[in-house]
Amino acid sequence: MEEGTPRGSRAPRNLTHHSKTNPRISPKPHWSAPPRPAAAMISDGLRTKTCQDQRALEQKLAPRYAAFARAPREDQLRNLTLLRTVHVDFLVSGLGRLPVEFICLDASRAWLVYWIVHSLALLDAAHPDEPSPEDVIAFLRRCQHPSGGYGGGPGQLPHLASSYAAVAAALTIGGPAALASVHRSSMFDFILRMCVPPESGGGMAVHEGGEVDVRGAYTGLAVAHMLGLDKGAIAERSGVVEYVKRCQTHEGGLGGEPGNEAHGGYTFCGLATLVLLGRADALDLPRLAHWVAGMQGAVEGGYMGRTNKLVDGCYSYWQGAVPALLRAAGGALAAQLPVPPFLRGWGGNEVVGDGGLDFDVPDVMDLPELPRALGPREQLREAQRGELERLGRQLAEALEEAERVGEEGGSEEGPDTEGIKESLQEAKGAMEAAEASASGFLTEEKAEELGTRLPVGEGGREWEWAWGNAGALQFWILRSCQSKKGGLRDKPGKGADYYHTCYCLSGLSVCQHGSGLVLGPQENLLVATDPVVNVVRHRLAEALQFFGDRPL
């Protein structure tokens, strides 16, 4: 996906359904040892690349999480520290001249600026002297196209996504000079030119002649919001409400275009677009909340982006901000949506509120049971208990058969009882490891012991984290996504980069200020970001005041 917005996908897994009558799948011999279970994934016996990758990730993480659970509290706190200094050093190194291998990101230079300056702002770190804030704004001016909008680099085609990145970066740097550097009138004209009339399908193209997707709608409306432009005129010209509505899938999430599969990045973009317009009621919100809740990994604690994919640190924001968007959609909406039944007790967040909505929200309790790869800790335990019982029955049958073969003699080969015993032992170990995983051992009470609670109100908790385990998400970011060399990453085994640093930190900020929990030392608390446009709140407020009464 070009221009840096929600990229690659990761999400629930284990939906490796296959036909029992498939002639290409030969039945296993009656006495073969069963597939060895991983810490959480309940295998159906079909080996796929996704299952193997998921198994490998869980086998890598579960022992680490188990060791953490056994460690003294002092060591636990030390291992939950946000490594601010090395992250700042990593970020500052990207604002100057980059190595030649970054040439592939030439069309994403505006994004690089945004990812870095936003991450520094979240960390409450000072902008470096070289390049200075004035130097960065001068570079962004060179990316601004005479006909409106910003390209990914100087002299490049204007693009809604890079326009979002450039405007968000200018707002984050802040100050009258930075804000005045944006040509609001030509930007508004550019956004209007990208609108696709409703009679032609609606939505917004990302550039002249470019693709039409939810990413274009979000970045166009987010820019309009940050600059105080007429969002209603844009919505009317593009029919964007109906367009986004058509992107919601049977799963509950949204795809990039109508007919595409549900994807975490596009779900955020679509919901945020409608939140900006005050029309989140156009979506089936309970079903959307149900889908997002199922995207949190039962072992890892992080979020996935699509069904049957792996967790990825960037979805800490793309998926983790959805409860905040629902809150922004209707005041008490996050509390009014009942917790999906399969999440009750997962972190102790059973929240049913009251308060005024001006539209009806159907009760999630009336939804049919939706297929999902992994549910909460309780569902995971139940599935693993079933696996243990199955293996136990198979072992008992094997021992009986071995005894019969021994008594009768002859040439018949007995069952592989040792192999079954080994699988049974491994299954028991897997269950114990899962119990010590982030979403297993990190109950709400344990998270309270390892963190602090923010006060309710200004700078503190703003809603109940009703659709997931806030402690487990922060644990995933702090334990699995930080690089000791600086920066944050997709997952263990991957290198840190500016994109993942930005969205891991953004997700951490939203989770901290949303749930009111700061896992680890209190110094881990980040600056609050606006969950809808992802600019630190105090800078966004300054910009909205600056542009408030200014004519185009």
Side-chain angles (χ1 to χ4, degrees):
M1 186 175 297
E2 64 180 4
E3 291 290 334
T5 42
R7 43 141 238 141
S9 314
R10 317 278 190 273
R13 59 293 170 133
N14 201 30
L15 295 180
T16 51
H17 302 307
H18 62 282
S19 171
K20 293 181 179 179
T21 60
N22 189 334
R24 294 179 294 175
I25 302 175
S26 59
K28 296 188 293 291
H30 177 64
W31 292 117
S32 63
R36 296 182 179 179
M41 186 176 65
I42 309 304
S43 175
D44 60 4
L46 178 63
R47 294 176 65 84
T48 67
K49 178 67 164 58
T50 300
C51 291
Q52 290 171 334
D53 289 346
Q54 180 61 36
R55 187 189 306 276
L57 179 60
E58 290 173 356
Q59 288 176 338
K60 178 183 289 187
L61 292 180
R64 297 182 185 181
Y65 287 3
F68 178 92
R70 293 191 299 267
R73 184 175 184 277
E74 295 74 18
D75 292 343
Q76 290 178 334
L77 288 172
R78 185 172 61 253
N79 285 307
L80 289 176
T81 299
L82 183 65
L83 306 176
R84 288 176 178 269
T85 302
V86 294
H87 297 331
V88 170
D89 291 343
F90 171 78
L91 290 162
V92 169
S93 70
L95 277 179
R97 185 178 296 276
L98 292 168
V100 67
E101 55 265 26
F102 277 80
I103 194 170
C104 63
L105 293 177
D106 182 59
S108 296
R109 292 166 71 186
W111 277 105
L112 287 166
V113 171
Y114 165 69
W115 295 333
I116 293 170
V117 299
H118 178 58
S119 297
L120 290 172
L122 290 171
L123 292 165
D124 199 21
H127 195 287
D129 294 332
E130 291 292 336
S132 67
E134 293 75 20
D135 294 333
V136 174
I137 293 300
F139 168 76
L140 293 177
R141 281 200 188 96
R142 292 167 53 210
C143 297
Q144 195 162 200
H145 198 274
S147 66
Y150 289 78
Q156 295 181 13
L157 184 75
H159 193 292
L160 281 178
S162 53
S163 295
Y164 163 85
V167 170
L171 264 64
T172 301
I173 291 173
L179 299 176
S181 70
V182 183
H183 299 161
R184 294 170 67 230
S185 177
S186 62
M187 176 67 78
F188 190 43
D189 291 342
F190 171 63
I191 295 173
L192 291 176
R193 292 200 308 273
M194 295 305 102
C195 293
V196 177
E199 59 270 22
S200 298
M204 299 177 71
V206 293
H207 61 79
E208 296 280 0
E211 64 270 31
V212 178
D213 58 28
V214 175
R215 175 187 48 156
Y218 168 69
T219 50
L221 267 298
V223 168
H225 177 73
M226 290 187 284
L227 297 180
L229 304 176
D230 188 347
K231 293 178 288 188
I234 297 169
E236 183 177 357
R237 181 172 293 201
S238 63
V240 71
V241 173
E242 285 302 313
Y243 177 82
V244 171
K245 181 180 179 180
R246 298 203 313 274
C247 293
Q248 189 168 22
T249 78
H250 68 282
E251 291 185 273
L254 279 72
E257 303 171 41
N260 287 6
E261 70 172 318
H263 178 290
Y266 291 120
T267 296
F268 169 87
C269 287
L271 178 58
T273 297
L274 298 186
V275 168
L276 288 168
L277 295 172
R279 286 302 316 277
D281 60 311
L283 296 174
D284 185 337
L285 295 176
R287 191 173 293 273
L288 186 153
H290 185 284
W291 179 77
V292 170
M295 295 295 102
Q296 189 172 17
V299 168
E300 308 93 315
Y303 278 96
M304 320 153 199
R306 282 187 292 155
T307 299
N308 206 26
K309 295 293 181 182
L310 304 184
V311 295
D312 182 333
C314 70
Y315 291 108
S316 301
Y317 176 74
W318 299 122
Q319 300 278 38
V322 168
L325 297 186
L326 291 170
R327 177 71 178 183
L333 176 59
Q336 286 192 310
L337 281 175
V339 181
F342 68 91
L343 278 179
R344 294 188 184 278
W346 194 26
N349 296 315
E350 183 170 344
V351 181
V352 179
D354 52 20
L357 284 181
D358 56 3
F359 57 89
D360 293 329
V361 179
D363 192 338
V364 74
M365 294 300 207
D366 296 332
L367 290 174
E369 188 70 9
L370 299 181
R372 54 186 178 273
L374 286 174
R377 186 169 72 255
E378 289 73 17
Q379 181 190 351
L380 177 59
R381 286 176 181 153
E382 195 61 33
Q384 288 176 328
R385 285 193 187 97
E387 178 76 357
L388 292 176
E389 291 172 2
R390 186 183 70 79
L391 286 167
R393 288 193 300 270
Q394 185 171 353
L395 179 59
E397 293 172 5
L399 291 172
E400 288 180 8
E401 181 67 8
E403 185 177 353
R404 182 190 65 79
V405 171
E407 289 176 353
E408 295 179 358
S411 60
E412 182 179 354
E413 184 178 349
D416 179 13
T417 57
E418 290 304 315
I420 298 173
K421 287 180 181 178
E422 185 179 351
S423 293
L424 182 61
Q425 188 62 36
E426 190 168 330
K428 291 179 179 177
M431 188 168 184
E432 291 173 359
E435 288 293 325
S437 68
S439 54
F441 78 84
L442 206 61
T443 62
E444 187 172 16
E445 293 75 17
K446 181 64 174 177
E448 294 276 3
E449 293 177 12
L450 294 173
T452 57
R453 278 286 177 186
L454 299 175
V456 177
E458 185 66 27
R461 184 172 70 181
E462 299 170 10
W463 65 84
E464 293 292 341
W465 196 267
W467 296 290
N469 188 322
L473 176 58
Q474 293 185 47
F475 186 89
W476 157 255
I477 296 170
L478 295 169
R479 286 289 295 149
S480 298
C481 296
Q482 289 197 96
S483 168
K484 293 182 180 179
K485 297 179 181 179
L488 289 94
R489 58 196 177 190
D490 171 336
K491 60 177 65 68
K494 300 293 185 73
D497 57 65
Y498 302 117
Y499 169 87
H500 283 92
T501 300
C502 173
Y503 292 108
C504 286
L505 291 177
S506 298
L508 184 59
S509 172
V510 170
C511 185
Q512 289 173 340
H513 290 274
S515 68
L517 170 69
V518 180
L519 190 66
Q522 192 166 8
E523 292 73 25
N524 284 355
L525 180 64
L526 295 172
V527 173
T529 189
D530 181 86
V532 185
V533 298
N534 205 18
V535 171
V536 289
R537 282 183 166 170
H538 65 285
R539 290 300 190 192
L540 178 62
E542 290 172 4
L544 294 177
Q545 183 176 9
F546 180 86
F547 294 127
D549 299 324
R550 290 178 176 249
L552 290 180

